[in-house]
């Protein structure tokens, strides 16, 4: 952390991912590296010795790897490891680390990370292409040495010792899952989109976040102070005193708006003319149930069960799943809990099972489960055991057609019959549903609704697949446009088909929790909206201040528009007419 003169203010635009404003010093997270705790070391020389030992082990590891590559692929392919070995022999770097330990008295992991980070920043800023690429070598080697120091292969972030703003190229959902508002002020990433799972988790954790910030890591340096505006999608590096002043006002305005919507949070979900709908919670585990209560969710509309798998970074046993699931059902106190069966794959990776070239179009969700009956059965058994404590629904993700849905249902019903013969019977008959998030499912929606009690639209994926735009790719984020008329018309078709069959039409993608979109979804015919709990108060407020007739008219008006800009303006005007949003 330098004490040089402060660098000038720089503003970077990104994608607003989680609301709120965060202000603090930056912690640049090296890709694939842990956020290590900063602790006072008791014996500095033994810290340095640990470092030397870790370097030695890493040298042996890389030499072995080099030899294997020579044997398999040849000398030239193994040359990359020579560069890595050179990093491990870089006297300047090694000396700097030892000096840092002796100077600060901190633990070796923290000092090593600090120094390596400085080197990487220097190399990344060099004009010469060849030298600039050495940054990647240092990063790679640093990760290996850190593994040795931590005595683990884990690259999961632990808790940073002082609350800081995490800046990273990108964050995996499991990295985000291990953060909390107590340990992190905000986070910003160079890549990622609004509906990527890291952004979704940030909203649930109430950590302000901006993603898809172009040039972030070229601009931000160690020692910088950041102001993260998660409402506008703005990152201000080294904000001036005037900027900080104006943000103080903005934070006050946000607070007063929040107080206003919170004052109605416990009022019923109905329009001014008495039409009912339901707002529910999206959760990732028992720890999210407190927010569901605080923001008065009427049940859980989406339980992302894969979060347990991601947190453990392993396949949990039936018992481990049961403990977590039953905790959620108990905490719901008689309200419905909708379990979404395992949706690993895409950006939610576990081991090398889902390591593939096109993960969003690959071995994902229901495909994986139908292919791995052992995994599917253990999850369904755990859900059924939990269903003894309260009402439960089960929905299948990534359904692409009727046969697949029937297979999933049949699998479930067989397990349920087996369990019933063991005396395990749900407290309330389990409702079955399908997520509608693949365009093919929307096309055959009339057939799907004859098979289920409810459908739940996963707009995050539906938009991605309908428009062929990767939801996590910052470069094409402007193409990820839910206001595309194709999306609006597809949604209307799904809701109409469900209504005709008397099947509940829910939405559990991020659009449900967007105060601009929620009125349109209800106006188009949805009857349940499930969202990250902190989004409930604002959505509840705007819907309670609307009439059913107005919402229907909004839906009709959107259906008549053939242009996304006009649709967006329509939604913004509607929201503004209800309450001053985004002033
Ligand atoms: C969705 O796709 O909208 C959804 C709710 O599921 P996920 O975001 O977990 O893919
Ligand atoms: Mg999905």
């Amino acid at each position: 952390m330098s004490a040089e003169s402060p660098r000038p203010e720089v503003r970077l635009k990104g994608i607003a991912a989680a609301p709120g404003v965060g202000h603090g010093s930056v912690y640049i997270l090296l890709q694939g590296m842990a956020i290590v705790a900063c602790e006072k070391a008791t014996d500095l020389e033994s810290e340095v010795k640990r470092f030397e030992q870790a370097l030695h082990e890493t040298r042996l590891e890389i030499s072995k790897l080099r030899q294997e590559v020579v044997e398999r692929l040849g000398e030239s392919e193994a040359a990359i490891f020579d560069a890595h070995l050179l990093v491990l022999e870089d006297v300047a770097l090694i000396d700097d680390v030892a000096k840092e330990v002796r100077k600060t008295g901190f633990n070796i992991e923290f000092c090593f990370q600090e120094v390596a980070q400085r080197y990487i920043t220097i190399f990344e800023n060099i004009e010469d292409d060849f030298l600039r690429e050495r940054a990647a070598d240092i990063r790679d080697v640093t990760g290996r040495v850190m593994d040795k120091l931590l005595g683990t292969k884990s690259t999961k972030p632990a808790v940073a010792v002082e609350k800081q703003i995490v800046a990273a190229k990108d964050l995996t959902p499991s990295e985000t899952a291990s953060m909390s508002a107590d340990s992190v002020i905000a986070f910003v990433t160079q890549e990622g989109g609004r509906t990527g799972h890291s952004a979704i988790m940030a909203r649930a954790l109430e950590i302000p976040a901006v993603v898809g910030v172009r040039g972030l890591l070229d601009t931000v340096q160690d020692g910088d102070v950041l102001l993260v505006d998660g409402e506008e999608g703005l990152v201000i590096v080294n904000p001036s005193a005037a900027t900080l002043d104006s943000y103080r006002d903005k934070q006050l305005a946000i607070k007063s708006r929040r107080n206003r919507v919170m004052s109605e949070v416990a009022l019923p979900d109905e329009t001014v003319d008495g039409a009912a709908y339901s707002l529910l919670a999206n959760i990732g585990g028992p720890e999210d149930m407190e927010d569901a209560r605080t923001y008065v969710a009427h049940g859980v509309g989406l339980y992302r069960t894969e979060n347990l798998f991601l947190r453990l970074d392993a396949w949990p046993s039936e018992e481990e799943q049961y403990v977590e699931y039953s905790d959620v059902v108990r905490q719901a106190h008689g309200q419905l809990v909708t379990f979404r069966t395992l949706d690993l794959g895409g950006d939610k990776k576990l081991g090398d099972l889902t390591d593939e070239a096109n993960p969003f179009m690959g071995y994902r969700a229901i495909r994986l489960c139908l292919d791995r009956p052992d995994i599917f059965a253990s999850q369904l058994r755990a859900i059924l055991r939990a269903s003894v404590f309260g009402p439960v629904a089960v929905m299948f993700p990534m359904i692409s057609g009727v046969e697949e849905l029937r297979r999933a249902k049949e699998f479930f019903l067989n397990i349920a019959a087996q369990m019933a013969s063991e005396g395990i019977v749900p407290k309330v008959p389990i409702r079955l549903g399908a997520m509608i998030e693949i365009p093919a499912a929307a096309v055959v929606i009339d057939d799907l609704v004859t098979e289920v009690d409810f459908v739940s639209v996963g707009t995050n994926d539906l938009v991605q697949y309908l428009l062929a735009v990767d939801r996590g790719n910052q470069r094409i984020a402007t193409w990820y446009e839910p206001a595309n008329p194709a999306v609006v018309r597809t949604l209307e078709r799904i809701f109409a088909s469900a209504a005709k069959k008397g099947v509940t039409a829910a939405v559990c993608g991020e659009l449900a929790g967007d105060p601009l979109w929620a009125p349109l979804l209800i106006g188009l015919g949805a009857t349940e909206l499930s969202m990250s709990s902190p989004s409930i108060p604002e959505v509840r407020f705007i819907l309670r201040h609307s009439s059913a007739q107005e919402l229907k008219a909004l839906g009709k008006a959107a259906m008549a528009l053939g242009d996304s800009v006009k649709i967006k303006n329509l939604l913004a005007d509607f929201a503004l007419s209800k309450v001053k949003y985004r002033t």
Side-chain angles (χ1 to χ4, degrees):
M1 313 272 157
S2 67
E4 287 146 28
S5 61
R7 304 196 309 131
E9 173 175 314
V10 177
R11 289 178 175 236
L12 301 172
K13 187 80 185 104
I15 301 164
V21 173
H23 174 224
S25 63
V26 70
Y27 183 99
I28 302 170
L29 177 65
L30 293 182
Q31 204 56 33
M33 272 190 61
I35 299 177
V36 292
C38 171
E39 292 156 356
K40 272 281 174 207
T42 42
D43 179 350
L44 300 187
E45 290 318 307
S46 80
E47 290 298 286
V48 174
K49 281 223 167 62
R50 281 210 298 128
F51 180 50
E52 283 163 0
Q53 179 61 23
L55 290 177
H56 174 68
E57 285 173 22
T58 310
R59 265 184 225 119
L60 290 181
E61 179 182 276
I62 295 181
S63 303
K64 194 163 159 251
L65 207 61
R66 186 189 185 289
Q67 193 49 36
E68 281 168 18
V69 173
V70 169
E71 281 161 22
R72 277 201 357 253
L73 303 167
E75 267 297 335
S76 58
E77 273 71 17
I80 176 76
F81 296 113
D82 293 333
H84 289 188
L85 285 168
L86 279 178
V87 173
L88 287 169
E89 271 140 33
D90 185 327
V91 181
L93 186 140
I94 296 169
D95 273 2
D96 277 0
V97 175
K99 274 190 207 140
E100 185 85 6
V101 172
R102 292 183 182 118
K103 190 176 88 192
T104 62
F106 290 147
N107 53 325
I108 185 67
E109 291 86 352
F110 186 78
C111 295
F112 175 51
Q113 183 140 310
E114 289 283 301
V115 173
Q117 209 158 288
R118 281 208 293 269
Y119 272 69
I120 288 169
T121 309
I122 292 169
F123 275 93
E124 278 179 343
N125 287 319
I126 291 176
E127 286 283 315
D128 182 88
D129 284 351
F130 175 79
L131 286 174
R132 202 170 50 243
E133 278 159 23
R134 299 287 67 76
D137 296 331
I138 304 180
R139 188 176 283 130
D140 191 304
V141 172
T142 307
R144 287 181 192 277
V145 176
M146 191 61 84
D147 279 346
K148 304 284 171 299
L149 287 172
L150 295 170
T152 161
K153 287 268 169 256
S154 164
T155 52
K156 280 221 173 115
V159 174
V161 72
E162 63 177 295
K163 268 181 91 169
Q164 285 180 304
I165 293 179
V166 173
K169 186 154 180 254
D170 204 358
L171 288 170
T172 65
S174 54
E175 282 168 338
T176 316
S178 62
M179 294 180 185
S180 79
D182 295 331
S183 59
V184 172
I185 299 171
F187 77 75
V188 285
T189 61
Q190 186 159 294
E191 291 174 4
R194 202 185 132 72
T195 61
H197 286 95
S198 294
I200 291 173
M201 279 180 197
R203 288 194 278 284
L205 294 166
E206 297 188 75
I207 298 175
V210 178
V211 299
V213 184
R214 254 182 224 208
L216 175 73
L217 296 181
D218 289 336
T219 312
V220 173
Q221 290 181 7
D222 253 350
D224 281 343
V225 168
L226 301 190
L227 200 149
V228 178
D229 181 344
E231 308 244 328
E232 298 296 332
L234 195 61
V235 179
I236 306 177
V237 186
N238 299 321
S240 67
T243 301
L244 286 176
D245 271 352
S246 74
Y247 264 87
R248 248 163 245 129
D249 294 345
K250 181 165 181 168
Q251 265 173 308
L252 285 177
I254 292 173
K255 207 162 165 206
S256 95
R257 190 179 84 197
R258 190 71 180 165
N259 288 342
R260 184 156 173 237
V261 296
M262 276 303 283
S263 69
E264 296 196 6
V265 79
L267 298 180
D269 281 335
E270 59 182 28
T271 56
V272 285
D273 46 353
Y277 48 88
S278 243
L279 303 188
L280 299 96
N282 286 357
I283 65 160
E287 65 285 355
D288 291 337
M289 290 305 283
E290 192 184 326
D291 268 0
R293 284 190 293 275
T294 306
Y295 300 116
V296 200
H298 295 142
V300 172
L302 167 64
Y303 182 172
R304 286 189 165 94
T305 55
E306 59 281 356
N307 281 18
L308 169 66
F309 295 60
L310 294 171
R311 260 181 279 128
L312 296 178
D313 200 11
W315 301 95
S317 64
E318 176 188 320
E319 195 57 29
E320 282 170 306
Q321 295 179 70
Y322 164 71
V323 168
E324 188 145 327
Y325 300 166
S326 56
D327 186 359
V328 168
V329 176
R330 282 198 177 102
Q331 287 197 56
H333 296 298
Q335 288 186 329
L336 184 72
V337 176
T338 309
F339 285 84
R340 194 255 306 268
T341 60
L342 192 61
D343 185 8
L344 281 174
D347 59 348
K348 294 176 281 196
K349 297 186 170 58
L350 186 67
D352 55 8
L353 186 63
T354 50
D355 199 8
E356 50 194 346
N358 258 323
F360 271 115
M361 304 245 236
Y363 191 63
R364 217 197 128 171
I366 198 69
R367 300 169 187 177
L368 184 160
C369 286
L370 290 175
D371 188 51
R372 288 290 304 267
D374 51 333
I375 291 170
F376 202 17
S378 90
Q379 173 167 58
L380 294 177
R381 285 185 61 87
I383 295 173
L384 280 154
R385 284 169 65 193
S387 74
V388 167
F389 301 106
V392 155
V394 170
M395 66 180 177
F396 305 111
M398 297 282 292
I399 290 294
S400 63
V402 174
E403 298 101 293
E404 197 176 41
L405 177 57
R406 286 198 190 123
R407 269 184 74 195
K409 270 175 62 183
E410 198 183 316
F411 194 92
F412 170 83
L413 293 171
N414 276 337
I415 304 264
Q418 254 172 41
M419 308 262 308
S421 71
E422 294 165 25
I424 298 167
V425 180
K427 185 160 187 183
V428 178
I430 292 185
R431 284 160 53 80
L432 289 182
M435 283 195 70
I436 308 299
E437 49 186 347
I438 293 185
V443 172
V444 296
I445 189 68
D446 289 345
D447 299 336
L448 294 177
V449 291
T450 63
E451 295 283 335
V452 286
D453 303 306
F454 67 99
V455 290
S456 187
V457 184
T459 52
N460 306 335
D461 278 317
L462 185 62
V463 172
Q464 146 167 280
Y465 296 125
L466 202 54
L467 305 181
V469 183
D470 179 345
R471 63 196 256 192
N473 185 340
Q474 162 269 329
R475 283 181 84 181
I476 49 169
T478 51
W479 277 271
Y480 188 95
E481 179 48 82
N484 185 310
V487 175
V488 174
R489 292 175 204 179
T490 305
L491 291 171
E492 194 275 341
R493 260 205 76 199
I494 297 167
F495 303 148
S497 175
K500 210 159 97 204
K501 193 72 195 143
V503 156
T504 305
V507 180
C508 63
E510 292 306 293
L511 291 185
D514 185 328
L516 298 186
W517 272 86
L520 178 64
L521 296 173
I522 299 288
L524 290 173
T527 52
E528 283 187 10
L529 302 181
S530 191
M531 63 200 75
S532 145
S533 297
S535 301
I536 291 177
E538 204 149 341
V539 169
R540 179 163 287 147
F541 186 91
I542 195 163
L543 291 176
R544 281 186 44 79
H545 287 258
S546 307
S547 72
Q549 214 183 4
E550 265 181 310
L551 296 173
K552 256 207 182 96
L554 180 70
K556 221 168 155 198
M559 285 293 287
L561 294 174
D563 160 337
S564 62
V565 174
K566 289 192 177 136
I567 293 174
K568 279 197 284 192
N569 289 341
L570 178 77
L571 302 187
D573 288 347
F574 184 85
L576 265 171
S577 73
K578 297 293 156 197
V579 62
K580 285 268 171 227
Y581 280 97
R582 311 200 200 288
T583 44

